[in-house]
């Protein structure tokens, strides 16, 4: 977290932007990560091997392409991630079973130096991702992923490059987005 006082910034939508490619040497691009997660999500044996817990998400770390980090994640009915970003990492995810919903912000937020932002109207995006569908995203992509089903377990595959240095967690109340805490790899591995 920053030592700067929390700014209140009104942002404006930047419109759709393509997922950023990697500029970290020879790592995979966002398009290559998307191809990987789609192919991996189509592996029925791998998807079936994931332990499922009716109470909470489960995950297994996978080998991603070209030094990326990848995860197979199980989503019981009614679970979600909450608002977060993946810092400097680009990424992609694909639904392997069930349907996930992604809510995201179509605006590039400042990377650091803030604790509270006031979001402008029109920055919210929502998409449903049934099995076989996925998406790639660039750095600082703020989103939440949800399994809104009341009965069906969902499974997805995620990949990030470079491997996640941190995840910033946010709370949201209307137009106000607030940085709540920062997780490091040792918090989830």
């Amino acid at each position: 977290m920053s030592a700067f006082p929390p700014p209140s910034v009104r942002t404006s939508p930047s419109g759709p932007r393509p997922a950023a490619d990697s500029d970290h040497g020879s790592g995979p691009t966002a398009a290559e990560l998307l191809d990987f997660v789609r192919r991996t999500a189509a592996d029925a044996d791998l998807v079936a091997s994931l332990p499922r817990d009716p109470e909470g998400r489960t995950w297994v770390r996978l080998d991603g392409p070209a030094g990326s980090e990848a995860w197979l994640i199980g989503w019981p009915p009614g679970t979600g991630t909450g608002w977060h970003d993946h810092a400097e990492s680009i990424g992609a995810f694909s639904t392997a079973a069930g349907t996930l919903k992604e809510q995201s912000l179509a605006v590039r937020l400042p990377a650091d130096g803030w604790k509270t932002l006031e979001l402008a109207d029109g920055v919210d995006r929502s998409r449903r991702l049934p099995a076989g569908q996925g998406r790639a995203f660039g750095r600082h992509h703020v989103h939440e992923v949800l399994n809104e089903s009341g009965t069906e377990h969902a499974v997805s595959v995620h990949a990030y490059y470079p491997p996640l240095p941190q995840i910033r967690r946010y709370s949201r109340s209307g137009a106000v987005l607030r940085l709540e805490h920062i997780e490091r790899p040792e918090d989830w591995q």
Side-chain angles (χ1 to χ4, degrees), residues 35-83:
D35 180 60
F36 168 80
V37 297
R38 284 182 172 154
R39 285 184 290 109
T40 304
D43 182 338
D45 290 337
L46 177 65
V47 171
S49 75
L50 179 68
R52 296 183 186 189
D53 179 341
E55 301 298 319
R57 289 188 299 146
T58 54
W59 55 88
V60 174
R61 188 170 180 153
L62 306 172
D63 291 329
S68 66
E69 174 177 4
W71 299 88
L72 179 66
I73 300 176
W75 306 77
T79 58
T81 61
W83 288 95

Side-chain angles (χ1 to χ4, degrees), residues 28 64 101 109 138 142:
K101 178 180 180 181
L109 300 179
V142 176

Side-chain angles (χ1 to χ4, degrees), residues 114-137:
W114 65 277
K115 178 128 174 127
T116 303
L117 292 175
E118 182 180 343
L119 302 171
D121 292 337
V123 300
D124 288 295
R125 298 293 181 268
S126 181
R127 71 182 76 211
R128 300 190 68 70
L129 298 160
Q133 301 246 337
R135 62 131 36 248
F137 52 85

Side-chain angles (χ1 to χ4, degrees), residues 35-188:
D35 180 60
F36 168 80
V37 297
R38 284 182 172 154
R39 285 184 290 109
T40 304
D43 182 338
D45 290 337
L46 177 65
V47 171
S49 75
L50 179 68
R52 296 183 186 189
D53 179 341
E55 301 298 319
R57 289 188 299 146
T58 54
W59 55 88
V60 174
R61 188 170 180 153
L62 306 172
D63 291 329
S68 66
E69 174 177 4
W71 299 88
L72 179 66
I73 300 176
W75 306 77
T79 58
T81 61
W83 288 95
H84 68 282
D85 72 14
H86 307 100
E88 294 294 324
S89 298
I90 61 172
F93 70 97
S94 183
T95 305
T99 299
L100 293 174
K101 178 180 180 181
E102 181 197 33
Q103 297 183 156
S104 63
L105 302 177
V107 63
R108 184 149 180 112
L109 300 179
D112 291 306
W114 65 277
K115 178 128 174 127
T116 303
L117 292 175
E118 182 180 343
L119 302 171
D121 292 337
V123 300
D124 288 295
R125 298 293 181 268
S126 181
R127 71 182 76 211
R128 300 190 68 70
L129 298 160
Q133 301 246 337
R135 62 131 36 248
F137 52 85
R139 292 170 181 78
H140 309 292
H141 176 70
V142 176
H143 70 164
E144 69 176 343
V145 180
L146 310 156
N147 177 4
E148 294 184 316
S149 172
T151 59
E152 188 177 5
H153 206 96
V155 177
S156 57
V157 178
H158 303 245
Y160 310 98
Y161 187 82
L164 295 172
Q166 64 186 16
I167 294 178
R168 291 181 285 233
R169 300 270 178 197
Y170 305 98
S171 63
R172 176 131 186 230
S173 178
V176 177
L177 186 70
R178 179 181 307 278
L179 176 65
E180 295 295 339
H181 68 278
I182 298 173
E183 294 176 5
R184 308 239 183 275
E186 57 271 15
D187 297 327
W188 64 80

